[in-house]
Amino acid sequence: MDTTTVPQILDGNAIAAEIKTEVAADIERLHAQGIRSGLTVVMVGNHAASEIYVRNKVKTSAELGMNSELVTPPATVTTGELQALVSRLNVRDDVDGILIQTPLPAHVDKKLLDQAVAPEKDVDGFHPINVGLLQSGHPRLLPCTPAGIIEMLRRTGISIAGKHAVVVGRSDIVGKPMAMLLLHENATVTICHSKTKDLEGFCRTADILVAAIGKAGIITPQMVRPGAVLIDVGMNRITSQEDFARFFAGDAKREAAFKKNGSVLMGDFDPHAFALASYYTPVPGGVGPLTIAMLMANTVRAARLRRGLPVSK
Ligand code: NDP
C-alpha cells in the first residue's frame, strides 16, 4: 500500500446521495408499472436517539417517492402483540419493507421479532433465512450498514480482493455480516472482539480496518498500519472535557459544537489515526448516511423480488 499519499475522506453523504438518486429513479420506474413501494418502520416506546433515526428513515423514504409509514406501539407492548402486528404487516400488499427499530424494551424478545418478519420483507437482513443466504454466498437482502460499506468501497474503486481485512466487532448487525461480505469479495478476513488477545497486533496487519465496537477512540494511531483503509462504524457521544481535549484539541469547528451542545459525536477511531490512512470514513458523515441509503435500496429491491421483477446482483 502507498504510505506517502494524503489521506482521502470517504464522503458518505455524497455516495449516499448517489445511491438515493438511483433508488428514486427505480421507484419511478416501478410506479410507471403501477407499483408503489412501501416501507413501514415500527418504533416501540419513546427513545430520544431512536426517534431522530426513525424520523430520518421515514422522511427519506417519503422524499424518494415511497409509501412511508411509522407505527409506534407503547413501551408496554408485549412480544406477542408485536408478533401479531408484524403478521398483519407481512400480509399487506402495500408494505414491501418492515423495519423494527432498536433498542427495544428489555421485556421484548428481539430474536422472535426478527423471525416474525417475512423474509421477503426483511429490509434489515436479520431474519435467519437471509442470514443463511448471505452465509452461503447467495445473498438476497443484506444488513444495511455492512452492505453500505461494501458499496462505498466499490464506488470509490478501492479493491478488496486479496487484502487483509480486520473487522473489530462481531455483532449480528454489523461485525459478522461485514466479515462475511468482505470474505465474499475475496478479502482475507480476521474478526476481533472483546476477548481478542493482542488486538493491536491484529489491527496493525490490516489493509482494511473496520471498527464496529461502540467505544470512543479505542483504535489508536499505534494500532493502524500506514496506508490502511479505515472504516469507522462507531457512533459515540463524548461529553467530558478531558476526552474532548484528548481527541479534538485544536479542532475549532468541533470545539464550537462541544461548547454549544456539551457533547460531540465521534467514532471508534482516535481521529489522530486518520492521518495514517490512505482512505477513511469520518464520523459523522461517513458510514451513517450509507445505512439509510441502503435501507431505501433494500426496500425497492424487496418490492422487486416479491413480484419476481429483475434486481441487480
Ligand atoms: P454491539 O455492542 O452489538 O457489538 C460491539 C462489538 O464490539 C462486540 O462484538 C464486542 O465484542 C466488541 N468489543 C467491545 N469492546 C471491545 C474491545 N475493547 N475490544 C475489541 N472488541 C470490543 O454493537 P453494534 O455492532 O451494534 O454497533 C457497534 C457500533 O456501531 C456502535 O457504536 C453503534 O452505535 C454503531 N453503529 C453505527 C451504525 C451506522 O449506521 N453508522 C449502524 C449500526 C451500529 P464481544 O462480542 O466480545 O462482546
Side-chain angles (χ1 to χ4, degrees):
M1 282 218 169
D2 185 357
T3 58
T4 57
T5 48
V6 177
Q8 306 278 309
I9 295 178
L10 293 166
D11 183 346
N13 285 314
I15 297 170
E18 211 175 278
I19 294 169
K20 284 191 277 186
T21 303
E22 292 163 14
V23 171
D26 204 18
I27 288 169
E28 278 282 327
R29 278 193 290 276
L30 288 177
H31 211 176
Q33 297 174 51
I35 300 163
R36 191 158 164 93
S37 31
L39 173 69
T40 297
V41 180
V42 179
M43 179 175 68
V44 179
N46 298 315
H47 191 271
S50 294
E51 267 180 40
I52 299 168
Y53 292 130
V54 164
R55 297 214 182 288
N56 210 349
K57 288 169 184 172
V58 172
K59 185 170 144 256
T60 308
S61 53
E63 278 168 5
L64 297 188
M66 289 186 212
N67 272 334
S68 179
E69 181 184 35
L70 175 61
V71 184
T72 53
T76 50
V77 72
T78 63
T79 304
E81 287 164 342
L82 284 170
Q83 284 171 303
L85 165 66
V86 169
S87 298
R88 291 194 293 277
L89 296 174
N90 283 344
V91 293
R92 264 177 52 190
D93 198 45
D94 61 329
V95 176
D96 292 300
I98 302 168
L99 180 146
I100 298 163
Q101 184 66 38
T102 53
L104 290 162
H107 67 271
V108 173
D109 187 330
K110 181 178 180 308
K111 284 255 177 273
L112 285 181
L113 283 187
D114 285 345
Q115 289 167 24
V117 175
E120 63 274 16
K121 296 192 178 187
D122 169 35
V123 283
D124 259 336
F126 295 163
H127 190 286
I129 287 185
N130 287 322
V131 174
L133 285 169
L134 166 59
Q135 166 91 11
S136 63
H138 301 93
R140 190 169 54 182
L141 289 168
L142 293 171
C144 300
T145 302
I149 292 168
I150 295 290
E151 201 57 33
M152 176 183 251
L153 296 174
R154 194 179 285 149
R155 286 177 189 242
T156 311
I158 296 170
S159 66
I160 303 173
K163 300 282 168 59
H164 181 208
V166 175
V167 180
V168 190
R170 56 174 165 179
S171 71
D172 293 336
I173 299 172
V174 190
K176 279 186 207 157
M178 182 78 256
M180 199 51 68
L181 285 175
L182 288 162
L183 184 63
H184 291 324
E185 296 291 329
N186 295 314
T188 302
V189 181
T190 301
I191 305 175
C192 298
H193 46 78
S194 69
K195 308 287 186 294
T196 297
K197 290 194 175 124
D198 192 18
L199 180 66
E200 178 171 337
F202 282 110
C203 290
R204 273 193 74 83
T205 62
D207 301 311
I208 300 172
L209 179 56
V210 182
I213 306 162
K215 292 194 172 153
I218 192 170
I219 307 291
T220 62
Q222 299 83 270
M223 297 164 83
V224 169
R225 169 172 168 161
V229 176
L230 306 182
I231 306 292
D232 199 348
V233 184
M235 299 265 253
N236 313 295
R237 199 158 274 289
I238 54 163
T239 53
S240 89
Q241 181 63 48
E242 192 191 342
D243 281 343
F244 183 83
R246 183 153 61 100
F247 296 125
F248 296 113
D251 182 336
K253 205 170 147 203
R254 289 219 197 213
E255 185 151 10
F258 187 69
K259 280 204 175 121
K260 185 167 165 236
N261 307 322
S263 68
V264 283
L265 203 61
M266 71 173 288
D268 292 338
F269 281 89
D270 176 333
H272 299 102
F274 295 143
L276 297 164
S278 53
Y279 293 89
Y280 71 95
T281 60
V283 178
V287 173
L290 282 166
T291 300
I292 291 196
M294 294 312 287
L295 172 65
M296 303 300 129
N298 264 357
T299 305
V300 181
R301 188 178 171 84
R304 285 183 164 275
L305 284 168
R306 196 157 63 87
R307 294 171 176 88
L309 298 170
V311 289
S312 57
K313 272 207 138 189

